[in-house]
Amino acid sequence: MLAKRIIPCLDVTGGRVVKGINFVELRDAGDPVEIAARYNEQGADELTFLDITATSDGRDLILPIIESVASQVFIPLTVGGGVRSVDDVRRLLNAGADKVSFNSAAVARPELIREASERYGAQCIVVAIDAKRRTGEDLAAKGPGWDVYTHGGRKNMHLDAVAWARQMAEFGAGEILLTSMDRDGTRSGFDLDLTRAVSDAVPVPVIASGGVGKLDDLADGVTLGRADAVLAASIFHYGDHTVGEAKALMASRGIPVRQ
Amino acid sequence: MGRVAVIDYGMGNLRSVSQAVIHAAQALGGAAPEVIVTADPAAVRAADRVVLPGQGAMRDCMRELREAHDGELLAAVREAAASKPLMGVCVGMQMLLDHSEEQDTPGLGLMPGRVLRFRLDDALQPDGSRYKVPQMGWNRVRQHAFQGGAPHPVWAGVPDEAWFYFVHSYHAAPADAAHTAGSTEYGARFTSAVARDNIFATQFHPEKSAAHGLALYRNFLRWRP
């Protein structure tokens, strides 16, 4: 039986790993290679590197990081953040990434996902979706649901998140990385309604992200949210819990995990 | 131990495969083979072992392999498959068979059988969630008897039902069950590793399967079929 995956997420800027709350207030969390090696030893199923560097000058700093991690850590590596073109995919794969995650660029030009997927295969194309529950006028106009946001969660693109996920899977995304903007950094658990709505809607795997504060949140993402994988950053970075503890808890709740 | 050629025919990312093979080779210490990533038919012919990776669509992989060096690279791979240890990975395994359902693509015909798409469109997992295609993530591999005896020597030291990393929408269905070296459950049981004579190949990615994956590459580098 396919295991449900636990994916620590490393936010990277200027060659360091950091963690923010609601995409601001960055705190330094350490050296990427050391952290990656530690997570591998703990049994992490994959690692995701999110490049939150604001400038294109700083962007290429992630390539040597991926190169050094990939030469020492033999589990799948995903890189996202500022990926804009099919050529970016090539550069990241050549550096040692296994999957590349698109976000704003896919919203700006959805055909980009088709092109990247046809060139490199769906298995390495992830579409990251930042979704926020509709409120106020949007709720009144469109009814309950979630809208897609870009630019680090600042810009409402007025796309329905479930419909967008479905379209991206049709265009060739091999996986959806779904982040709840409402929950990200709050430690109050995944938005399970959002996770389940998207997971039930698409034929490809869904990674739940945003809001993990305790180990049971990870298990809930799988059992109630029907996520194929769960992603978390701070509970692992600051030593609150190890990946091994997370897997033990999930296994005790009857979830298949690699141990 | 000589030289290992990782075949580079322009499809996808060979870095992780070559890094893992180099890592595995270094672990063999003094007997470490030299690992080269190459599309040069002469280098493939001169190598003692060959790794055939593959990523993306099988039709593209077959086309690139066929067209490289006016068919000479493909000829060198065929010679290797007939004469020295060859390890296929992912689409590099699927290409060994006769035919793939993916875009109705003929394979190399080095192992009788076909490559089929997962038929899981409306199937539900035991927990009520739908099966996702591609299968993406870690799954267990059951080791099968090789030539009527123990599991294949490339499994040495790897526990039965160990976890390996998969990402694929198509899987091999060898015509001869004796060619199944490993199998995995995803909706139904499918062949996740094949072997015959001097060929061993996996659907999963040993280069992304942590310690057990590196063990497989080490074993392949030591294997004397």
Side-chain angles (χ1 to χ4, degrees):
Chain A
M1 179 182 277
L2 185 65
K4 302 296 180 181
R5 289 168 280 154
I6 295 182
I7 308 175
C9 179
L10 292 73
D11 286 356
V12 176
T13 187
R16 301 287 289 179
V17 174
V18 294
K19 176 57 188 171
I21 296 170
N22 291 115
F23 286 19
V24 292
E25 291 183 44
L26 302 176
R27 288 165 62 185
D28 193 64
D31 173 65
V33 179
E34 278 174 31
I35 293 175
R38 186 168 76 232
Y39 287 147
N40 180 44
E41 282 159 23
Q42 291 178 9
D45 295 309
E46 298 185 19
L47 295 173
T48 289
F49 293 83
L50 190 58
D51 187 349
I52 57 172
T53 303
T55 68
S56 53
D57 284 352
R59 183 75 55 203
D60 280 353
L61 284 173
I62 199 162
L63 294 174
I65 291 175
I66 298 304
E67 282 177 12
S68 43
V69 171
S71 66
Q72 293 171 51
V73 178
F74 296 96
I75 57 175
L77 309 176
T78 301
V79 180
V83 181
R84 290 189 186 84
S85 65
V86 174
D87 194 55
D88 286 342
V89 177
R90 182 186 61 76
R91 292 161 70 235
L92 288 164
L93 294 181
N94 284 343
D98 300 286
K99 307 185 215 178
V100 173
S101 174
F102 285 92
N103 191 333
S104 304
V107 177
R109 197 171 72 81
E111 284 296 323
L112 180 58
I113 296 307
R114 216 190 282 277
E115 292 160 16
S117 185
E118 281 175 6
R119 180 70 189 89
Y120 292 105
Q123 82 288 338
C124 68
I125 305 300
V126 180
V127 171
I129 299 175
D130 293 337
K132 198 182 241 177
R133 197 180 282 269
R134 287 195 280 272
T135 56
E137 287 175 16
D138 291 328
L139 174 63
K142 295 201 274 185
W146 300 265
D147 282 337
V148 175
Y149 281 67
T150 61
H151 298 80
R154 291 189 300 274
K155 208 163 162 185
N156 186 349
M157 303 311 291
H158 299 287
L159 284 169
D160 179 74
V162 174
W164 175 241
R166 207 181 268 133
Q167 184 187 350
M168 286 294 88
E170 280 168 20
F171 276 34
E175 194 166 50
I176 301 292
L177 168 56
L178 180 65
T179 301
S180 162
M181 300 301 307
D182 302 301
R183 297 300 179 89
D184 193 63
T186 65
R187 295 180 159 249
S188 58
F190 294 122
D191 183 335
L192 296 171
D193 295 334
L194 168 68
T195 307
R196 182 158 179 164
V198 172
S199 191
D200 284 350
V202 297
V204 299
V206 172
I207 306 166
S209 158
V212 174
K214 57 186 190 301
L215 298 181
D216 273 304
D217 294 338
L218 297 170
D220 289 345
V222 171
T223 58
L224 302 173
R226 290 185 173 168
D228 301 280
V230 287
L231 180 140
S234 54
I235 64 160
F236 299 133
H237 289 338
Y238 297 128
D240 302 355
H241 296 288
T242 64
V243 176
E245 287 167 11
K247 287 191 165 180
L249 183 277
M250 286 170 76
S252 78
R253 288 185 50 180
I255 298 167
V257 289
R258 174 180 73 111
Q259 281 181 305
Chain B
M1 278 275 191
R3 187 176 289 174
V4 185
V6 177
I7 311 274
D8 176 10
Y9 51 99
M11 278 308 292
N13 173 31
L14 299 182
R15 189 185 172 90
S16 58
V17 173
S18 58
Q19 292 267 14
V21 175
I22 289 167
H23 204 271
Q26 285 165 350
L28 295 175
E34 183 190 357
V35 180
I36 54 168
V37 178
T38 185
D40 176 10
V44 175
R45 289 186 168 114
D48 301 290
R49 290 163 199 276
V50 170
V51 176
L52 180 64
Q55 231 180 38
M58 173 147 151
R59 170 174 282 190
D60 296 337
C61 287
M62 283 297 300
R63 186 191 60 235
E64 295 298 322
L65 183 58
R66 234 182 0 249
E67 292 179 357
H69 291 267
D70 294 326
E72 275 303 297
L73 180 61
L74 175 57
V77 169
R78 284 190 180 282
E79 288 165 30
S83 62
K84 53 195 165 200
L86 180 141
M87 182 158 170
V89 177
C90 197
V91 179
M93 178 205 75
Q94 295 178 0
M95 291 196 298
L96 301 176
L97 287 101
D98 292 323
H99 182 270
S100 173
E101 282 187 346
E102 187 176 13
Q103 299 171 294
D104 189 19
T105 307
L108 297 172
L110 294 167
M111 186 171 287
R114 299 168 67 79
V115 178
L116 309 175
R117 194 169 205 282
F118 280 120
R119 286 176 174 78
L120 296 169
D121 289 340
D122 297 310
L124 294 181
Q125 306 204 51
D127 65 2
S129 63
R130 62 196 286 188
Y131 276 102
K132 301 300 177 77
V133 177
Q135 168 174 235
M136 191 179 286
W138 299 77
N139 206 333
R140 292 176 181 274
V141 178
R142 179 177 300 168
Q143 298 169 12
H144 287 233
F146 181 58
Q147 295 173 344
H152 197 282
V154 172
W155 293 120
V158 177
D160 194 21
E161 301 283 356
W163 296 93
F164 287 92
Y165 187 81
F166 289 83
V167 49
H168 63 128
S169 301
Y170 295 80
H171 63 89
D176 184 346
H179 291 154
T180 295
S183 68
T184 297
E185 178 79 30
Y186 193 61
R189 190 155 282 277
F190 69 93
T191 294
S192 52
V194 297
R196 74 155 176 80
D197 306 317
N198 54 308
I199 297 174
F200 186 90
T202 66
Q203 177 60 64
F204 53 85
H205 291 269
E207 67 279 4
K208 288 291 146 189
S209 298
H212 293 325
L214 293 172
L216 234 56
Y217 281 127
R218 274 200 310 277
N219 291 337
F220 170 71
L221 295 176
R222 282 190 295 226
W223 179 35
R224 297 186 181 283

